[in-house]
Coordinates of all heavy atoms in Angstrom, one line a residue:
M13 N 55.6 59.3 118.2 CA 56.9 59.8 118.5 C 57.9 59.0 117.6 O 57.8 57.8 117.4 CB 57.3 59.6 119.9 CG 58.8 60.0 120.3 SD 59.1 59.9 122.0 CE 58.2 61.4 122.5
Q14 N 58.9 59.8 117.0 CA 59.8 59.1 116.1 C 60.7 58.2 117.0 O 61.0 58.5 118.2 CB 60.5 60.0 115.3 CG 59.8 60.8 114.4 CD 60.6 61.9 113.7 OE1 61.8 62.3 114.2 NE2 60.2 62.3 112.6
S15 N 61.2 57.2 116.3 CA 62.1 56.2 117.1 C 63.3 56.9 117.6 O 63.9 56.4 118.7 CB 62.3 54.9 116.3 OG 63.0 55.2 115.2
I16 N 63.9 57.8 116.8 CA 65.1 58.5 117.2 C 64.9 59.3 118.5 O 65.7 59.1 119.5 CB 65.6 59.5 116.1 CG1 66.0 58.7 114.9 CG2 66.7 60.4 116.6 CD1 66.4 59.5 113.7
E17 N 63.7 59.9 118.6 CA 63.4 60.5 119.9 C 63.2 59.5 121.1 O 63.6 59.8 122.2 CB 62.1 61.4 119.8 CG 62.3 62.5 118.9 CD 60.9 63.3 118.5 OE1 59.9 63.0 119.3 OE2 60.9 64.0 117.6
F18 N 62.6 58.4 120.8 CA 62.4 57.3 121.8 C 63.8 56.9 122.3 O 64.0 56.7 123.5 CB 61.5 56.3 121.4 CG 61.3 55.2 122.4 CD1 60.4 55.3 123.3 CD2 62.2 54.1 122.4 CE1 60.2 54.4 124.2 CE2 62.1 53.0 123.3 CZ 61.1 53.3 124.3
Y19 N 64.6 56.5 121.3 CA 65.9 56.0 121.7 C 66.7 57.0 122.5 O 67.6 56.7 123.3 CB 66.5 55.3 120.6 CG 65.8 54.1 120.1 CD1 65.3 53.9 118.9 CD2 65.6 53.1 121.1 CE1 64.5 52.8 118.5 CE2 64.8 52.0 120.8 CZ 64.4 51.9 119.4 OH 63.6 50.7 119.2
A20 N 66.6 58.3 122.0 CA 67.4 59.4 122.8 C 66.9 59.4 124.2 O 67.6 59.5 125.2 CB 67.2 60.7 122.2
A21 N 65.5 59.3 124.4 CA 65.0 59.3 125.8 C 65.4 58.1 126.6 O 65.7 58.2 127.8 CB 63.4 59.3 125.7
L22 N 65.5 56.9 125.9 CA 66.0 55.7 126.5 C 67.4 55.8 127.0 O 67.8 55.6 128.2 CB 65.7 54.4 125.7 CG 66.3 53.2 126.1 CD1 65.8 52.8 127.5 CD2 66.1 52.1 125.2
T23 N 68.3 56.3 126.1 CA 69.7 56.5 126.5 C 69.8 57.5 127.7 O 70.6 57.3 128.6 CB 70.5 57.1 125.3 OG1 70.4 56.1 124.2 CG2 72.0 57.3 125.6
R24 N 69.1 58.6 127.7 CA 69.1 59.6 128.8 C 68.6 58.9 130.0 O 69.1 59.2 131.1 CB 68.3 60.8 128.4 CG 68.4 62.0 129.3 CD 67.8 63.2 128.8 NE 66.4 63.3 128.8 CZ 65.6 63.2 127.6 NH1 66.2 63.3 126.5 NH2 64.3 63.2 127.8
A25 N 67.5 58.0 129.9 CA 67.0 57.4 131.1 C 68.0 56.4 131.7 O 68.1 56.4 133.0 CB 65.6 56.6 130.7
V26 N 68.7 55.8 130.9 CA 69.7 54.9 131.3 C 70.8 55.6 132.2 O 71.1 55.3 133.4 CB 70.5 54.0 130.3 CG1 71.8 53.4 130.8 CG2 69.5 53.1 129.7
R27 N 71.3 56.8 131.6 CA 72.2 57.6 132.4 C 71.8 58.1 133.6 O 72.3 58.2 134.7 CB 72.9 58.6 131.4 CG 73.6 58.0 130.3 CD 74.5 59.0 129.6 NE 75.6 58.3 128.8 CZ 75.6 58.4 127.5 NH1 74.8 59.1 126.9 NH2 76.5 57.8 126.9
E28 N 70.4 58.7 133.5 CA 69.8 59.4 134.8 C 69.6 58.3 135.9 O 69.8 58.6 136.9 CB 68.6 60.0 134.3 CG 68.7 61.3 133.4 CD 67.5 61.9 132.9 OE1 66.4 61.1 132.9 OE2 67.6 62.9 132.3
G29 N 69.0 57.1 135.5 CA 68.7 56.1 136.4 C 69.9 55.6 137.1 O 69.9 55.5 138.4
L30 N 70.9 55.4 136.4 CA 72.2 54.8 137.1 C 72.8 55.9 138.0 O 73.1 55.6 139.1 CB 73.2 54.5 136.0 CG 73.0 53.2 135.1 CD1 74.0 53.1 134.0 CD2 72.8 52.0 135.9
A31 N 72.8 57.1 137.6 CA 73.3 58.2 138.5 C 72.4 58.5 139.7 O 73.1 58.7 140.8 CB 73.3 59.5 137.6
Q32 N 71.2 58.4 139.6 CA 70.3 58.5 140.8 C 70.5 57.5 141.8 O 70.5 57.7 143.0 CB 68.8 58.6 140.3 CG 68.4 59.8 139.8 CD 67.0 59.8 139.4 OE1 66.3 58.8 139.3 NE2 66.5 61.1 139.1
V33 N 70.8 56.2 141.3 CA 70.9 55.1 142.3 C 72.4 54.9 142.7 O 72.7 54.8 144.0 CB 70.5 53.8 141.8 CG1 70.7 52.6 142.6 CG2 68.9 53.8 141.3
L34 N 73.4 55.1 141.9 CA 74.7 54.9 142.2 C 75.6 56.0 142.4 O 76.7 55.9 142.9 CB 75.4 54.1 140.9 CG 74.7 52.8 140.6 CD1 75.3 52.2 139.3 CD2 74.8 51.7 141.7
G35 N 75.1 57.3 142.0 CA 75.9 58.4 142.1 C 76.6 58.6 140.7 O 76.7 57.6 139.9
S36 N 77.0 59.8 140.3 CA 77.5 60.2 139.0 C 78.8 59.5 138.7 O 78.9 59.0 137.6 CB 77.5 61.6 138.8 OG 78.4 62.1 139.8
E37 N 79.7 59.4 139.7 CA 81.0 58.8 139.4 C 80.8 57.3 139.1 O 81.4 56.8 138.2 CB 81.9 59.0 140.6 CG 82.3 60.4 140.8 CD 83.1 61.0 139.6 OE1 84.0 60.3 139.1 OE2 82.8 62.1 139.2
T38 N 80.0 56.5 139.9 CA 79.9 55.1 139.7 C 79.1 54.9 138.5 O 79.4 53.9 137.7 CB 79.2 54.5 140.9 OG1 80.0 54.8 142.1 CG2 79.0 53.0 140.7
A39 N 78.1 55.7 138.1 CA 77.4 55.6 136.9 C 78.3 55.7 135.6 O 78.1 55.0 134.7 CB 76.3 56.7 136.8
R40 N 79.2 56.6 135.7 CA 80.2 56.7 134.6 C 81.1 55.4 134.5 O 81.3 55.1 133.4 CB 81.0 58.1 134.8 CG 80.4 59.3 134.3 CD 81.4 60.3 134.2 NE 81.9 60.8 135.4 CZ 81.3 61.8 136.1 NH1 80.2 62.3 135.7 NH2 81.9 62.2 137.2
A41 N 81.5 54.8 135.6 CA 82.1 53.6 135.5 C 81.4 52.5 134.9 O 81.8 51.8 134.2 CB 82.7 53.3 136.9
V42 N 80.0 52.4 135.2 CA 79.2 51.4 134.6 C 79.1 51.7 133.2 O 79.1 50.7 132.4 CB 77.9 51.4 135.4 CG1 76.8 50.5 134.6 CG2 77.8 51.0 136.8
D43 N 79.0 53.0 132.8 CA 78.8 53.4 131.3 C 80.2 52.8 130.6 O 80.0 52.5 129.4 CB 78.8 54.8 131.2 CG 77.4 55.4 131.4 OD1 76.5 54.5 131.6 OD2 77.2 56.6 131.3
F44 N 81.3 52.9 131.4 CA 82.6 52.4 130.7 C 82.5 50.9 130.3 O 82.9 50.4 129.3 CB 83.7 52.7 131.6 CG 84.9 52.1 131.1 CD1 85.8 53.0 130.1 CD2 85.5 51.0 131.6 CE1 86.9 52.4 129.6 CE2 86.8 50.5 131.1 CZ 87.5 51.2 130.1
Y45 N 81.8 50.2 131.3 CA 81.8 48.6 131.1 C 80.6 48.2 130.3 O 80.6 47.3 129.6 CB 81.8 47.9 132.5 CG 83.1 48.1 133.1 CD1 83.3 49.0 134.1 CD2 84.1 47.3 132.7 CE1 84.6 49.0 134.7 CE2 85.4 47.3 133.3 CZ 85.6 48.3 134.3 OH 86.9 48.4 134.9
I46 N 79.5 49.0 130.4 CA 78.3 48.7 129.7 C 77.8 50.0 128.8 O 77.1 50.8 129.4 CB 77.1 48.1 130.5 CG1 77.4 47.1 131.4 CG2 75.9 47.7 129.6 CD1 76.4 46.7 132.5
D47 N 78.2 50.0 127.6 CA 77.8 51.3 126.8 C 76.3 51.5 126.8 O 75.6 50.5 126.4 CB 78.4 51.1 125.5 CG 78.2 52.3 124.6 OD1 77.3 53.1 124.9 OD2 79.0 52.4 123.7
P48 N 75.7 52.5 127.2 CA 74.2 52.8 127.2 C 73.7 52.6 125.8 O 72.4 52.2 125.8 CB 74.1 54.2 127.6 CG 75.4 54.5 128.4 CD 76.5 53.6 127.7
S49 N 74.4 52.7 124.8 CA 73.9 52.4 123.5 C 73.5 50.9 123.2 O 72.6 50.7 122.3 CB 74.9 52.8 122.3 OG 76.0 52.0 122.4
I50 N 74.0 50.0 124.1 CA 73.5 48.7 124.0 C 72.1 48.6 124.4 O 71.3 47.7 123.8 CB 74.3 47.7 125.0 CG1 75.8 47.7 124.5 CG2 73.7 46.3 125.0 CD1 76.8 47.1 125.3
A51 N 71.7 49.4 125.3 CA 70.2 49.4 125.7 C 69.4 49.8 124.5 O 68.2 49.2 124.3 CB 70.1 50.5 126.8
V52 N 69.8 50.7 123.6 CA 69.1 51.0 122.5 C 68.9 49.9 121.4 O 67.9 49.5 120.9 CB 69.6 52.3 121.8 CG1 69.0 52.5 120.4 CG2 69.5 53.5 122.8
R53 N 70.0 49.2 121.3 CA 70.1 48.1 120.2 C 69.5 46.8 120.8 O 68.8 46.1 120.0 CB 71.6 47.7 119.9 CG 72.2 48.9 119.1 CD 73.6 48.6 118.5 NE 74.5 48.0 119.5 CZ 75.4 48.7 120.3 NH1 75.4 50.0 120.2 NH2 76.2 48.2 121.1
D54 N 69.6 46.5 122.1 CA 69.2 45.2 122.7 C 69.0 45.4 124.2 O 69.9 45.1 124.9 CB 70.2 44.2 122.4 CG 69.7 42.8 122.7 OD1 68.6 42.6 123.4 OD2 70.3 41.8 122.2
I55 N 67.8 45.8 124.5 CA 67.6 46.1 125.9 C 67.6 44.8 126.8 O 68.1 44.9 128.0 CB 66.2 46.8 126.1 CG1 65.9 47.3 127.5 CG2 64.9 45.8 125.7 CD1 66.9 48.4 127.9
S56 N 67.3 43.6 126.3 CA 67.5 42.5 127.1 C 68.9 42.1 127.3 O 69.3 41.7 128.4 CB 66.9 41.3 126.3 OG 65.5 41.4 126.2
K57 N 69.8 42.4 126.4 CA 71.3 42.1 126.5 C 71.8 43.2 127.6 O 72.6 42.8 128.5 CB 72.0 42.4 125.2 CG 73.5 42.2 125.4 CD 74.2 42.2 124.0 CE 75.7 42.0 124.1 NZ 76.3 42.1 122.8
Y58 N 71.4 44.4 127.5 CA 71.7 45.4 128.5 C 71.3 45.0 129.9 O 72.0 45.1 130.9 CB 71.1 46.7 128.1 CG 71.6 47.9 129.0 CD1 72.8 48.4 128.9 CD2 71.0 48.3 130.1 CE1 73.3 49.4 129.7 CE2 71.4 49.2 131.0 CZ 72.6 49.8 130.8 OH 73.0 50.8 131.7
T59 N 70.0 44.6 130.0 CA 69.4 44.1 131.3 C 70.3 42.9 131.9 O 70.6 42.8 133.0 CB 68.1 43.7 131.1 OG1 67.3 44.8 130.6 CG2 67.5 43.3 132.4
N60 N 70.7 42.1 131.0 CA 71.5 40.8 131.5 C 72.9 41.2 131.9 O 73.4 40.7 132.8 CB 71.6 39.7 130.3 CG 70.3 39.0 130.1 OD1 69.4 38.9 130.8 ND2 70.2 38.6 128.8
M61 N 73.4 42.2 131.3 CA 74.8 42.7 131.6 C 74.7 43.3 133.0 O 75.5 43.2 133.8 CB 75.3 43.7 130.6 CG 75.6 42.9 129.2 SD 76.1 43.9 127.9 CE 77.8 44.2 128.3
L62 N 73.6 44.3 133.2 CA 73.4 44.7 134.6 C 73.3 43.8 135.6 O 73.9 43.9 136.8 CB 72.1 45.7 134.6 CG 72.2 47.1 134.0 CD1 70.8 47.6 134.1 CD2 73.2 47.9 134.7
E63 N 72.5 42.7 135.3 CA 72.4 41.6 136.3 C 73.7 40.9 136.6 O 74.0 40.4 137.7 CB 71.3 40.6 135.8 CG 71.0 39.6 136.9 CD 69.6 38.9 136.5 OE1 69.2 38.9 135.3 OE2 69.0 38.3 137.5
K64 N 74.5 40.8 135.6 CA 75.9 40.1 135.8 C 76.7 41.0 136.8 O 77.4 40.3 137.6 CB 76.5 39.8 134.6 CG 76.1 38.8 133.7 CD 76.8 38.5 132.5 CE 76.2 37.4 131.7 NZ 77.0 37.1 130.4
I65 N 76.5 42.3 136.7 CA 77.5 43.0 137.5 C 76.8 43.2 138.9 O 77.5 43.2 140.0 CB 77.7 44.5 136.9 CG1 78.5 44.3 135.6 CG2 78.2 45.5 137.9 CD1 78.6 45.6 134.8
F66 N 75.5 43.5 139.0 CA 74.8 43.8 140.2 C 74.0 42.8 140.9 O 73.4 43.0 142.0 CB 74.0 45.1 140.1 CG 74.8 46.3 139.6 CD1 74.9 46.8 138.4 CD2 75.6 47.0 140.6 CE1 75.6 47.8 138.0 CE2 76.3 48.1 140.3 CZ 76.4 48.6 139.0
G67 N 73.9 41.6 140.2 CA 73.0 40.5 140.7 C 71.6 41.1 141.0 O 71.0 41.8 140.1
E68 N 71.0 40.6 142.0 CA 69.7 41.1 142.3 C 69.4 42.6 142.4 O 68.3 43.1 142.3 CB 69.0 40.2 143.6 CG 68.7 38.8 143.3 CD 67.7 38.7 142.3 OE1 66.5 39.3 142.4 OE2 67.8 37.7 141.4
G69 N 70.5 43.2 142.7 CA 70.5 44.7 142.8 C 70.1 45.3 141.6 O 69.7 46.5 141.5
S70 N 70.3 44.7 140.5 CA 70.0 45.3 139.2 C 68.6 45.5 139.1 O 68.2 46.4 138.2 CB 70.4 44.3 138.1 OG 69.7 43.1 138.0
R71 N 67.8 44.9 139.9 CA 66.3 45.1 139.7 C 65.9 46.5 140.2 O 65.1 47.2 139.5 CB 65.4 44.2 140.6 CG 65.6 42.7 140.3 CD 65.1 42.3 138.9 NE 65.5 41.0 138.6 CZ 64.6 39.9 138.7 NH1 63.3 40.1 138.9 NH2 65.0 38.8 138.4
I72 N 66.6 47.0 141.1 CA 66.6 48.5 141.6 C 66.9 49.4 140.4 O 66.2 50.5 140.1 CB 67.3 48.8 142.8 CG1 66.8 47.9 144.0 CG2 67.3 50.2 143.2 CD1 67.8 47.9 145.1
L73 N 68.1 49.1 139.8 CA 68.4 49.9 138.6 C 67.4 49.9 137.6 O 67.2 50.9 136.9 CB 69.8 49.4 138.2 CG 70.9 49.7 139.2 CD1 72.2 48.9 138.7 CD2 71.3 51.1 139.3
E74 N 67.0 48.7 137.1 CA 66.0 48.5 136.1 C 64.7 49.4 136.4 O 64.2 50.1 135.5 CB 65.6 47.1 135.9 CG 66.6 46.2 135.4 CD 66.2 44.9 135.3 OE1 65.1 44.6 134.9 OE2 66.9 43.9 135.7
T75 N 64.3 49.4 137.6 CA 63.1 50.1 137.9 C 63.3 51.6 137.8 O 62.5 52.4 137.4 CB 62.6 49.8 139.4 OG1 62.3 48.4 139.4 CG2 61.3 50.6 139.7
K76 N 64.5 52.1 138.3 CA 64.8 53.5 138.4 C 64.9 54.0 136.8 O 64.5 55.0 136.4 CB 66.0 53.8 139.1 CG 66.4 55.3 139.1 CD 65.3 56.2 139.7 CE 65.0 56.0 141.1 NZ 63.9 56.9 141.7
I77 N 65.7 53.2 136.0 CA 65.7 53.5 134.5 C 64.4 53.5 133.9 O 64.0 54.5 133.1 CB 66.6 52.5 133.9 CG1 68.0 52.6 134.3 CG2 66.6 52.6 132.3 CD1 69.0 51.5 133.9
A78 N 63.5 52.7 134.3 CA 62.1 52.6 133.7 C 61.4 53.9 134.2 O 60.7 54.6 133.4 CB 61.4 51.4 134.1
E79 N 61.5 54.3 135.4 CA 60.9 55.6 135.9 C 61.3 56.7 135.2 O 60.5 57.5 134.8 CB 61.2 55.7 137.4 CG 60.5 54.7 138.3 CD 60.9 55.0 139.7 OE1 61.8 55.7 140.0 OE2 60.4 54.1 140.6
R80 N 62.6 56.8 134.9 CA 63.2 57.9 134.1 C 62.8 57.9 132.7 O 62.4 59.0 132.2 CB 64.8 58.0 134.3 CG 65.3 58.1 135.6 CD 64.8 59.4 136.4 NE 64.7 60.5 135.4 CZ 63.9 61.5 135.4 NH1 62.9 61.5 136.2 NH2 64.1 62.5 134.6
L81 N 62.7 56.8 132.1 CA 62.2 56.6 130.7 C 60.8 57.2 130.6 O 60.4 58.0 129.8 CB 62.3 55.3 130.2 CG 61.7 55.0 128.9 CD1 62.5 55.8 127.7 CD2 61.8 53.5 128.4
F82 N 59.9 56.7 131.4 CA 58.6 57.2 131.5 C 58.4 58.7 131.7 O 57.7 59.4 131.0 CB 57.6 56.4 132.4 CG 57.2 55.1 131.9 CD1 58.0 54.1 131.7 CD2 55.9 54.9 131.8 CE1 57.7 52.8 131.2 CE2 55.3 53.6 131.2 CZ 56.3 52.6 131.0
A83 N 59.2 59.1 132.7 CA 59.3 60.7 132.9 C 59.7 61.4 131.6 O 59.2 62.5 131.3 CB 60.1 61.0 134.1
N84 N 60.8 60.9 131.0 CA 61.4 61.6 129.9 C 60.3 61.7 128.7 O 60.4 62.6 127.9 CB 62.6 60.9 129.4 CG 63.8 61.1 130.3 OD1 63.7 62.0 131.2 ND2 64.7 60.3 130.2
L85 N 59.4 60.7 128.6 CA 58.4 60.6 127.6 C 57.0 61.2 128.0 O 56.0 61.2 127.3 CB 58.2 59.2 127.2 CG 59.4 58.5 126.5 CD1 59.2 57.0 126.4 CD2 59.8 59.2 125.3
N86 N 57.1 61.8 129.2 CA 55.9 62.4 129.9 C 54.8 61.3 130.0 O 53.5 61.7 129.7 CB 55.4 63.7 129.0 CG 56.3 64.7 129.1 OD1 56.9 65.1 130.0 ND2 56.7 65.4 127.9
L87 N 55.1 60.2 130.4 CA 54.2 59.1 130.6 C 54.0 58.9 132.1 O 55.0 59.0 132.9 CB 54.5 57.8 129.9 CG 54.7 57.9 128.3 CD1 55.3 56.6 127.8 CD2 53.3 58.2 127.7
T88 N 52.9 58.3 132.6 CA 52.8 57.9 134.0 C 53.4 56.6 134.2 O 53.0 55.7 133.5 CB 51.3 57.9 134.4 OG1 50.8 59.3 134.1 CG2 51.2 57.6 135.9
F89 N 54.3 56.4 135.2 CA 54.9 55.2 135.5 C 54.2 54.3 136.6 O 53.8 55.0 137.6 CB 56.4 55.3 135.9 CG 57.0 54.0 136.3 CD1 57.5 53.2 135.4 CD2 57.2 53.7 137.6 CE1 58.1 52.1 135.7 CE2 57.8 52.6 138.0 CZ 58.3 51.8 137.1
V90 N 53.9 53.1 136.3 CA 53.3 52.3 137.3 C 54.0 51.0 137.4 O 54.2 50.3 136.4 CB 51.7 52.0 137.0 CG1 51.2 51.0 138.0 CG2 50.9 53.2 136.9
K91 N 54.6 50.8 138.6 CA 55.4 49.6 138.8 C 54.5 48.4 138.8 O 53.5 48.3 139.4 CB 56.1 49.6 140.2 CG 57.1 48.5 140.4 CD 57.9 48.7 141.6 CE 58.8 47.6 141.8 NZ 59.7 47.6 142.9
K92 N 54.9 47.3 138.1 CA 54.2 46.1 137.8 C 54.9 44.9 138.2 O 56.1 44.8 137.9 CB 53.8 45.9 136.4 CG 52.8 47.2 135.9 CD 52.5 47.1 134.5 CE 51.6 48.2 134.1 NZ 51.2 48.2 132.7
D93 N 54.2 44.0 139.0 CA 54.9 42.8 139.5 C 55.3 41.9 138.2 O 54.6 41.8 137.2 CB 54.0 42.0 140.3 CG 53.7 42.5 141.7 OD1 54.6 43.4 142.1 OD2 52.6 42.2 142.2
G94 N 56.5 41.4 138.2 CA 57.0 40.6 137.2 C 57.6 41.3 136.0 O 58.2 40.7 135.1
Y95 N 57.5 42.6 135.9 CA 58.0 43.3 134.8 C 59.5 43.5 135.1 O 60.0 43.8 136.2 CB 57.4 44.7 134.7 CG 56.3 44.8 133.7 CD1 55.4 43.7 133.4 CD2 56.2 46.0 133.0 CE1 54.4 43.9 132.5 CE2 55.2 46.1 132.0 CZ 54.4 45.0 131.8 OH 53.3 45.2 130.8
R96 N 60.3 43.5 134.0 CA 61.8 43.8 134.0 C 61.8 45.0 133.0 O 60.8 45.4 132.4 CB 62.5 42.6 133.5 CG 62.4 41.3 134.3 CD 63.2 41.4 135.6 NE 64.6 41.8 135.5 CZ 65.6 40.9 135.4 NH1 65.3 39.6 135.4 NH2 66.9 41.3 135.4
L97 N 63.1 45.6 132.9 CA 63.3 46.7 132.0 C 62.8 46.5 130.6 O 62.2 47.3 130.1 CB 64.6 47.1 132.1 CG 65.2 48.3 131.4 CD1 64.3 49.6 131.9 CD2 66.6 48.5 131.5
P98 N 63.0 45.3 130.0 CA 62.5 45.2 128.6 C 61.0 45.3 128.5 O 60.5 45.9 127.6 CB 63.0 43.8 128.3 CG 64.2 43.5 129.0 CD 63.9 44.1 130.3
N99 N 60.3 44.9 129.5 CA 58.9 45.0 129.6 C 58.4 46.5 129.6 O 57.5 46.8 128.9 CB 58.2 44.2 130.6 CG 58.6 42.7 130.8 OD1 59.3 42.4 131.7 ND2 58.1 42.0 129.9
Y100 N 59.0 47.2 130.5 CA 58.8 48.7 130.6 C 59.2 49.4 129.3 O 58.4 50.3 128.9 CB 59.5 49.2 131.8 CG 59.0 48.7 133.2 CD1 59.7 48.1 134.0 CD2 57.8 49.2 133.6 CE1 59.3 47.7 135.2 CE2 57.2 48.8 134.7 CZ 58.0 48.0 135.6 OH 57.5 47.7 136.9
V101 N 60.2 49.0 128.7 CA 60.6 49.6 127.4 C 59.7 49.4 126.3 O 59.3 50.4 125.7 CB 62.1 49.2 127.0 CG1 62.4 49.7 125.6 CG2 63.1 49.8 128.0
E102 N 59.2 48.2 126.2 CA 58.1 47.9 125.2 C 56.9 48.7 125.5 O 56.2 49.2 124.6 CB 57.9 46.4 125.2 CG 58.9 45.7 124.5 CD 59.0 46.2 123.0 OE1 58.0 46.3 122.3 OE2 60.2 46.4 122.5
E103 N 56.4 48.7 126.7 CA 55.2 49.4 127.1 C 55.4 50.9 126.9 O 54.5 51.5 126.2 CB 54.9 49.3 128.7 CG 53.6 50.0 129.0 CD 53.3 49.8 130.5 OE1 53.7 48.8 131.2 OE2 52.6 50.8 131.1
A104 N 56.5 51.5 127.2 CA 56.7 52.9 127.0 C 56.8 53.3 125.4 O 56.2 54.2 125.0 CB 58.1 53.4 127.6
K105 N 57.4 52.3 124.7 CA 57.5 52.5 123.1 C 56.1 52.4 122.6 O 55.8 53.3 121.8 CB 58.3 51.4 122.6 CG 58.7 51.6 121.2 CD 59.7 50.6 120.7 CE 60.2 50.8 119.3 NZ 61.2 49.8 119.0
S106 N 55.3 51.5 123.1 CA 53.9 51.4 122.5 C 53.1 52.6 122.9 O 52.3 53.0 122.1 CB 53.2 50.1 122.8 OG 53.0 50.0 124.2
R107 N 53.2 53.0 124.1 CA 52.4 54.2 124.6 C 52.8 55.5 124.1 O 52.0 56.5 124.0 CB 52.4 54.3 126.1 CG 51.6 53.1 126.7 CD 51.7 53.0 128.2 NE 51.2 54.4 128.8 CZ 51.6 54.6 130.2 NH1 52.1 53.7 131.0 NH2 51.2 55.7 130.6
S108 N 54.1 55.7 123.6 CA 54.6 56.9 123.1 C 54.3 57.1 121.6 O 54.6 58.1 121.0 CB 56.0 57.2 123.4 OG 56.9 56.2 122.8
S109 N 53.9 56.0 120.8 CA 53.7 56.1 119.5 C 52.5 57.0 119.0 O 51.6 57.0 119.7 CB 53.5 54.7 118.9 OG 54.3 53.7 119.5

């Protein structure tokens, strides 16, 4: 899969994951403060920004975003202990190549 397609799937997953957990209005507010394109450029930075806003609750968002990413890429998602969003993004990227 071309990287452009992967990053489009990641951007869509960020928006979908936030909306599923927070609702569409709150997700749009989060998009205002944390541009989803940051996730494409630096997933660790994006994850850290989520954590600054939501604290431990960011783990729920990270998991939902990861689930949506895997679904967007037609991959099977398996939740793994100790994994954070950057780990899932790397796994999805390697599996979709």
Side-chain angles (χ1 to χ4, degrees):
M13 175 173 287
Q14 295 178 337
S15 63
I16 292 171
E17 292 173 13
F18 178 82
Y19 292 122
L22 176 56
T23 301
R24 191 169 70 247
V26 167
R27 290 197 167 114
E28 292 170 350
L30 292 176
Q32 284 183 342
V33 175
L34 303 172
S36 60
E37 293 296 318
T38 304
R40 278 196 290 273
V42 172
D43 280 355
F44 177 78
Y45 289 101
I46 310 174
D47 187 334
S49 68
I50 294 170
V52 171
R53 291 190 309 272
D54 187 343
I55 192 63
S56 294
K57 181 176 181 179
Y58 185 82
T59 301
N60 289 336
M61 294 172 88
L62 281 178
E63 191 167 19
K64 284 182 181 180
I65 293 173
F66 295 102
E68 286 298 312
S70 67
R71 304 291 173 111
I72 296 166
L73 294 169
E74 290 178 46
T75 301
K76 185 53 73 176
I77 292 167
E79 288 173 0
R80 295 306 314 144
L81 175 60
F82 277 66
N84 290 343
L85 296 170
N86 295 316
L87 300 171
T88 301
F89 176 79
V90 177
K91 188 174 180 179
K92 297 180 180 177
D93 289 339
Y95 260 41
R96 300 284 307 264
L97 185 55
N99 304 109
Y100 288 118
V101 169
E102 280 303 311
E103 180 180 333
K105 191 173 186 179
S106 69
R107 288 177 53 194
S108 66
S109 319

